[in-house]
Amino acid sequence: MRFNLKNFESSPQAYARIAGILYLVIILMGLCAEAFVRNKLVVYGDVNTTANNIIHAQPLWKIGITADIIMHICDLPVMIILYYLLKPVSKKLALLNLSFNLIQTAVLVANKLNLLAALFFLGDAEYLKSFTPDQLHTLSYLSIKLHDFGFGIGLIFFGFVCLFEGYMIFRSGYFPKAIGVLMSVAGICYLFNSFALILMPKLSSIVILMPCLLAELSLSLWLIFKGVNLPAWKQKLA
């Protein structure tokens, strides 16, 4: 679909549904990469077992990286559509939100190099023979740890995105206020978990991010099946 601002302003429903579908793809790809690939192969605290798991499941490891890349490709149209959807609430805040979202995506895309490095260290290239197997296993594991922290840093920016979007959704009048509250809670959870990962790693937990899944899934499904309240949208736009 060719993007046309006048068509968007007169009837944003189609674009809202596109954003919802792509957002759902983002959620599914993220779950696939994290829950069904890395959580199965990475054994934290056990360098050799992790390395052996990756060596014997290299295609699966690559699928996880590919799923992440698809997720970040989908990020771009979603953030642009959300910018136009939320701009009637506050153009400046929507632009700030877009900027934080772009930084988040750029950080996470660059961070994928750490996952590729983890795989490269376990290869059979000639230049790796100057290292012992234990050294290579350790370097691979360190790359995975770097990815974890890089992911956490990227989510700091996304935490602010969720806060901004939560506020604008709550104030919009054409989205449910409940989703705005959920997105704001998600932003707080992302920020707490990511700063905890840096400052006090023992406090960081996947459990803290459960409200984030609920909030983002709610937003994506609402965009797909309901879109925006058109009368309220047109009133806000005017």
Side-chain angles (χ1 to χ4, degrees):
M1 179 182 293
R2 185 177 177 182
F3 186 85
N4 185 297
L5 183 56
K6 290 183 178 179
N7 289 342
F8 189 104
E9 291 179 348
S10 62
S11 180
Q13 296 290 37
Y15 294 99
R17 290 192 170 96
I18 290 171
I21 292 169
L22 291 175
Y23 209 145
L24 189 58
V25 172
I26 289 169
I27 293 170
L28 293 175
M29 290 297 103
L31 287 174
C32 172
E34 195 65 31
F36 302 116
V37 176
R38 288 190 282 276
N39 280 358
K40 288 185 177 296
L41 299 181
V42 178
V43 181
Y44 287 100
D46 193 332
V47 173
N48 291 321
T49 299
T50 298
N52 288 324
N53 287 344
I54 296 173
I55 290 170
H56 292 102
Q58 291 189 35
L60 183 61
W61 188 257
K62 292 176 181 178
I63 287 172
I65 297 173
T66 303
D68 278 334
I69 293 171
I70 292 171
M71 176 176 69
H72 299 315
I73 290 171
C74 292
D75 272 339
L76 295 173
V78 169
M79 67 177 71
I80 291 171
I81 292 173
L82 286 177
Y83 166 75
Y84 281 102
L85 284 175
L86 297 172
K87 188 171 73 166
V89 180
S90 171
K91 184 178 180 179
K92 291 180 179 179
L93 191 57
L95 186 59
L96 182 63
N97 182 67
L98 177 62
S99 301
F100 271 77
N101 222 339
L102 285 169
I103 294 172
Q104 175 253 164
T105 299
V107 170
L108 295 186
V109 168
N111 194 39
K112 296 287 98 65
L113 293 174
N114 285 315
L115 295 180
L116 287 171
L119 187 62
F120 293 158
F121 284 126
L122 302 177
D124 56 0
E126 189 67 29
Y127 57 79
L128 293 174
K129 293 181 179 178
S130 58
F131 298 94
T132 66
D134 284 343
Q135 288 174 329
L136 291 172
H137 291 181
T138 301
L139 288 171
S140 178
Y141 186 82
L142 283 174
S143 296
I144 295 170
K145 293 290 289 183
L146 279 173
H147 173 266
D148 290 346
F149 279 86
F151 195 67
I153 291 171
L155 290 183
I156 289 174
F157 293 91
F158 190 64
F160 283 105
V161 168
C162 291
L163 286 176
F164 298 149
E165 288 180 359
Y167 172 78
M168 288 186 285
I169 288 171
F170 187 86
R171 292 289 305 274
S172 69
Y174 47 84
F175 286 121
K177 291 183 182 293
I179 293 181
V181 173
L182 286 173
M183 289 299 292
S184 297
V185 171
I188 294 170
C189 291
Y190 276 126
L191 288 170
F192 178 85
N193 194 66
S194 291
F195 280 114
L197 180 65
I198 297 169
L199 299 171
M200 294 175 287
K202 290 183 179 180
L203 293 180
S204 177
S205 170
I206 190 67
V207 177
I208 298 172
L209 300 181
M210 288 297 104
C212 306
L213 177 60
L214 175 62
E216 294 183 76
L217 190 58
S218 298
L219 177 58
S220 67
L221 293 177
W222 186 270
L223 289 170
I224 293 170
F225 295 108
K226 292 292 186 178
V228 301
N229 182 323
L230 280 177
W233 159 268
K234 291 178 179 178
Q235 182 181 0
K236 198 77 173 181
L237 194 64

